[in-house]
Amino acid sequence: MEIHIVTDAAEGAQAVADVFARTLRETAGDGTVLGLATGSSPVPAYTELIRRHREEGLSFAGARAFLLDEYVGLPAGHEQSYHRFIRENFTSHIDIEDAAVLSPDGAAADPTAEAAAYDRRIGEAGGVDLQILGIGSNGHIAFNEPGSSLASRTRVVGLTRRTIADNARFFENAEDVPVRALSQGLGTIRDARRIVLTATGEGKAEAVAQLAEGAISARWPATSLQLHPDVTVVVDEAAASRLELADYYRYARSLEQTGTVAAHS
């Protein structure tokens, strides 16, 4: 797991965009498959990728994308659906075909069947080349709340009171926040060939510390990423404030940047 501690969200966005650009270069001939997250954490990176597309010619042509999750009960056109969010904040501003951006159907009559079908579609596409993630203050990734099986697949999940409260800011009333979601599982996420996770703010500090240095446990679902061979974690100083090995991560990163040695924790 490679830990990048950056000064602010803008520098973090650059670091995440660099991982995207490298992956697009490496997989362009095979049709890149991206895994996209919603919520506030990845938005600065999406903004930077849009800028690179417009000003530097970074191309997503031929790429496909799969969203991590969707609220159960929200149709694709709902103003708070993740289907709509990703288009408004990212994919409608780059050269990726809209039909190539797939998400679980939150309005499906049978959400359980939809979850299984969505998991199959990811596999049929050849799997995800690069998955971007945020992290919840309780350590959830996607909507894999504490207690999720480390081998879980895409499924219907119930959201914790804490996650519902965290997401209430996006809705007019707290009562409007859905209490269930379709979510890729921890096992599904780890099938991605490369993962980049980004977080900012002191509110994510404990979750980041557990992710990087804690024991692998369903109590902190993000710790399952320690089992993955290619994870880059990009965090600002506030989110890194509880990392006991922060000085080492900075030192190792400096060696990597000078080409002396690869930096991995």
Side-chain angles (χ1 to χ4, degrees):
M1 186 175 289
E2 187 173 313
I3 312 295
H4 294 189
I5 301 174
V6 298
T7 56
D8 54 26
E11 184 182 350
Q14 291 279 347
V16 173
D18 286 345
V19 179
F20 268 77
R22 182 169 76 249
T23 302
L24 287 163
R25 287 194 302 268
E26 293 172 353
T27 61
D30 299 321
T32 309
V33 180
L34 300 172
L36 302 179
T38 52
S40 57
S41 293
V43 168
Y46 293 154
T47 301
E48 170 61 16
L49 287 167
I50 292 166
R51 187 199 65 78
R52 293 190 188 191
H53 168 66
R54 291 175 173 171
E55 299 178 11
E56 300 176 9
L58 180 65
S59 178
F60 296 80
R64 290 170 289 175
F66 289 88
L67 269 64
L68 277 174
D69 41 34
E70 183 59 275
Y71 288 118
V72 170
L74 296 193
H78 190 282
E79 63 181 357
Q80 293 300 336
S81 74
Y82 291 152
H83 179 277
R84 182 168 172 176
F85 178 99
I86 202 66
R87 285 159 175 80
E88 291 183 346
N89 289 277
F90 185 36
T91 60
S92 67
H93 306 284
I94 58 174
D95 59 339
I96 188 172
E97 294 291 334
D98 186 63
V101 182
L102 303 179
S103 57
D105 181 4
D110 186 340
T112 300
E114 168 62 15
Y118 190 71
D119 206 90
R120 288 195 300 272
R121 286 195 290 272
I122 296 171
E124 290 165 358
V128 171
D129 293 304
L130 172 63
Q131 176 67 61
I132 184 171
L133 298 171
I135 186 171
S137 55
N138 64 0
H140 76 250
I141 51 176
F143 275 125
N144 294 286
E145 301 283 10
S148 295
S149 166
L150 303 186
S152 55
R153 309 300 301 182
T154 306
R155 67 205 189 284
V156 178
V157 297
L159 308 183
T160 66
R161 290 185 178 89
R162 183 172 184 177
T163 295
I164 292 169
D166 286 347
N167 289 347
R169 68 188 186 277
F170 301 116
F171 292 81
E172 288 188 10
N173 300 298
E175 296 77 15
D176 296 333
V177 184
V179 298
R180 294 192 303 158
L182 290 157
S183 177
Q184 287 188 36
L186 296 172
T188 309
I189 291 168
R190 286 201 314 280
D191 283 347
R193 285 176 277 280
R194 177 177 289 158
I195 294 172
V196 58
L197 183 148
T198 182
T200 58
E202 190 175 356
K204 301 295 179 71
E206 183 177 6
V208 168
Q210 293 292 335
L211 158 69
E213 299 172 352
I216 298 172
S217 167
R219 171 63 185 84
W220 295 94
T223 60
S224 65
L225 298 180
Q226 294 178 27
L227 300 170
H228 193 282
D230 191 350
V231 178
T232 301
V233 177
V234 180
V235 292
D236 69 357
E237 292 287 351
S241 61
R242 297 193 185 185
L243 289 171
E244 294 182 3
L245 301 177
D247 287 344
Y248 167 72
Y249 303 138
R250 294 187 183 93
Y251 170 71
R253 178 64 175 156
S254 70
L255 294 181
E256 182 190 23
Q257 290 174 324
T258 60
T260 306
V261 66
H264 288 84
S265 65

